[in-house]
Amino acid sequence: MTVERIFDELGHFKRFQACLYFAAVFQAVACGIHYLASVFLVETPNFVSSVPGNITDVLYGNVTASSLEDVLPVFKAGKGPLVIQTAEGEQWELSRCRCSLRIDPGDFTYDFYGNKTVKACGGNFVYDHTEVYQSIVTDWDLVCEKEWLAKLCQPTFMVGVLIGALVFGDIADRVGRVKILMFTSLCQFGLGVAVAFTGNYYFFVVLRFLLAMVSSGYLVVVFVYVTEFTGIKVRTWTSMHVHAAFAVGIMVVALTGYLVRVWWIYQIVLSTCTSPFLFFCWKFPETPFYLMAKSRYKDAQTLLDKMARFNGLECRLTAEDLLESENGRALVEQEAAEEKPSQSEKKLSILDLFGSWRMTGRTCTVWAIWFIGSLGYYVFSLGSVNLGGNQYINLFLAGAVELPSYLIGCFAMDRIGRKKTCAPALLLAGVTCMLIIVVPAKIEALAIALCMIGKFSIAIAFGLIYLYTCELYPTTIRSLAVGSGSMMCRVGSVVAPFCVYLADVWIYLPQLIVGILAFIIGVLTMLLPETLGKPLTTTLEEAESLGRELSKKKSALGSKEDEEGLELNQQETKA
C-alpha cells in the first residue's frame, strides 16, 4: 500500500480530479501566452531615417507620392533608397539607417550620379503603421544601432525561465504546491499588466524577466500538481496535455496580435484573459502526496473525505492506512541506507548519470533530446512569423498543430513504444527542415505546411521525453535525471532566440541547424532501450540491464537455431 492506493479507491480521474485538472491547466495557457508574446511586442515594421524639413515629393522606383507613409508599405530594404524633396528644395536619398544629401541636384529624378553627403541617422525615423501601429520598437526607436536591444528581449526572458524553474521548483517542495501556484498566478497577472505601463526599455526588460520567472515557476509546479492528483492509468495523458494548454496560449497570442496592434493594450489583454483563475485558485487543496510527506495526516484525511464526497463514493480509506505503509517503507529505506551508506550518497551525485559507458551514452542522448526538443520547439514557433504569408495565421497554426501531436504521441507511446515514437519524430523533423531549405521561396504555402509538420513532429518528441526520462533511470537518480534534462531544455530555450536571429545571415540557417541536430539525435535515439511495458527500475544495475534482455533472447534464439541446424546436418550425413 502506498499513497497511490487513493486513486484505486477514489478514482484515477473522476469529477474532483477533473475539476482541479482543467482549472490548473487553464492557467497554464498564460504561460504559453507570455513565452511567445514578444513575437509581436518587439515587431519591427518598415522604416526609414527621417530628415528635417517638410517633404513635398517622394520617389521609389516608379512609385510617386507626397508623403513617406504612402510609400513605406512597398519599400524594401536593400532594394534602393527612397528619394525625397523638401520644401526648401533639398533632395535626399533615405535608407533605413542613413541618409544622403544630393549636392547641386538638377531635376527631381530617381537616379542621380553627382556627389552626395552621407550622414548617419540622427535618431529620427518614420515607421510604416499599416501592420504594426505601435510596438516597443516604434516607441523607443530600437532600430539601427539599438536593434540589438530589441533582439535581447526574448533571450533575457528565457534566462528568467531558467532561473524560475530552479527557484520555484525547489520552493514548491518546501512550502507546498498550492502556495506556489497561487503566488505565481497572482504575479503573472500583476507583472503582466505592469509591463504594459513601463516607460522605458530597461524597466520593461526587468519586469519581463520577473514575469518569465513566475511563468516558468507555475509551469514547473503545475506538472507536479496534476501528476500528484491523477492516477497512474491517466497520468501519461494528463501530463502530456499540459503542453496542449501551452499551445492554446500560442494561439491566443496570434489572435490577440491580429486584433490589437498597440503593444501596451495587447499586453493588458493577454495578461487579463486568464485572470478568472485568481477567483478560485485559493480553494485548491494541497496534493495528498505532499500532505503525507509532511506528516499532515489530519489534512490528508479531510482531503480524502472531500474527494470521496465530490466523486459520489464512500470513503473507506483512512490516512492511517497510508501512514502504516509509508512509515514501513521509510523504515526499510532507512535500514538499507544504513547498510549501504555509499548508495545513499550517490543519490545526490550527478556523476551517477555517467557511472558506466552504457549510462554515459544514454545520458548524453537523453540530454540531447531535451535540448533539441526545446530548441526546435521555439525555433519553429518564433520563426513561423518569418515564413511569408500572413504572420498571424502562421503563428496560430504553429500552436494549433500541437494539439493533434499530443494525441497521436500518447497513442503511439502506448502502442508502439517510447523509442519508436521519439526517434521517427526527430528524424521527420530533421527531414522536414531540409525540405524547407530546398523548397522554392515562391511556394509559400508549401513552406508553411512543412514548418507545421516540423513543429508537429518536434512537439511529439518534446512532450514524451518527460515520461521517457523517468522510465530510463532508476529510483535513486530519477529526479536527478529529469532535473538535469530540464536544465538542458532551458539551455535550448535560451539559445533558440539567437538561432532565430541567424536568419539575418541566411534565411534558412535556423532550419539548417535544427534539421542537422534533429536528424543526428534521432539516429542516436534508436540506440536507447525501449521501456514500454517495463516496470520502473530501482537500482543502477536494473537500469543498465534495460535493452540487454532482448539482445540476450535474440542471441539465445540464434544459438538454438545453430544447434538445431548442426543436428540436422549430422543426421543428413549419417543418412
Side-chain angles (χ1 to χ4, degrees), residues 102-297:
R102 291 177 175 179
I103 299 175
D104 297 327
D107 297 332
F108 183 54
T109 58
Y110 190 76
D111 297 318
F112 178 74
Y113 302 100
N115 295 325
K116 306 173 189 176
T117 301
V118 180
K119 299 181 180 180
C121 58
N124 296 319
F125 303 93
V126 178
Y127 297 95
D128 176 22
H129 295 293
T130 54
E131 283 291 330
V132 182
Y133 185 77
Q134 191 177 352
S135 71
I136 68 168
V137 173
T138 62
D139 273 12
W140 301 322
D141 289 331
L142 304 180
V143 292
C144 297
E145 72 275 3
K146 292 183 180 180
E147 183 183 6
W148 67 275
L149 292 174
K151 290 185 174 181
L152 197 61
C153 287
Q154 189 65 14
T156 53
F157 185 92
M158 289 304 182
V159 172
V161 169
L162 170 62
I163 296 175
L166 295 174
V167 172
F168 288 104
D170 180 62
I171 296 176
D173 288 334
R174 299 173 184 271
V175 303
R177 288 79 165 98
V178 171
K179 291 180 180 178
I180 297 301
L181 290 182
M182 290 193 295
F183 175 77
T184 53
S185 300
L186 183 62
C187 288
Q188 277 190 91
F189 172 74
L191 290 171
V193 174
V195 166
F197 296 97
T198 52
N200 63 76
Y201 170 81
Y202 299 102
F203 194 30
F204 173 87
V205 170
V206 169
L207 286 181
R208 285 267 300 167
F209 178 83
L210 297 175
L211 179 60
M213 287 184 61
V214 295
S215 296
S216 175
Y218 185 89
L219 197 60
V220 168
V221 177
V222 77
F223 270 107
V224 177
Y225 189 78
V226 299
T227 299
E228 293 183 352
F229 254 118
T230 53
I232 194 170
K233 292 181 179 179
V234 295
R235 198 164 286 161
T236 300
W237 286 82
T238 54
S239 62
M240 281 279 282
H241 284 83
V242 175
H243 292 289
F246 190 94
V248 172
I250 298 176
M251 297 161 66
V252 171
V253 169
L255 182 61
T256 307
Y258 174 76
L259 296 174
V260 182
R261 306 298 176 90
V262 178
W263 75 268
W264 60 273
I265 300 177
Y266 161 86
Q267 178 67 29
I268 291 174
V269 172
L270 292 179
S271 300
T272 57
C273 63
T274 59
S275 58
F277 178 79
L278 300 175
F279 294 106
F280 51 84
C281 69
W282 60 277
K283 295 287 288 183
F284 273 30
E286 189 54 80
T287 69
F289 285 85
Y290 183 83
L291 293 175
M292 294 300 298
K294 295 297 182 181
S295 302
R296 294 167 54 182
Y297 307 121

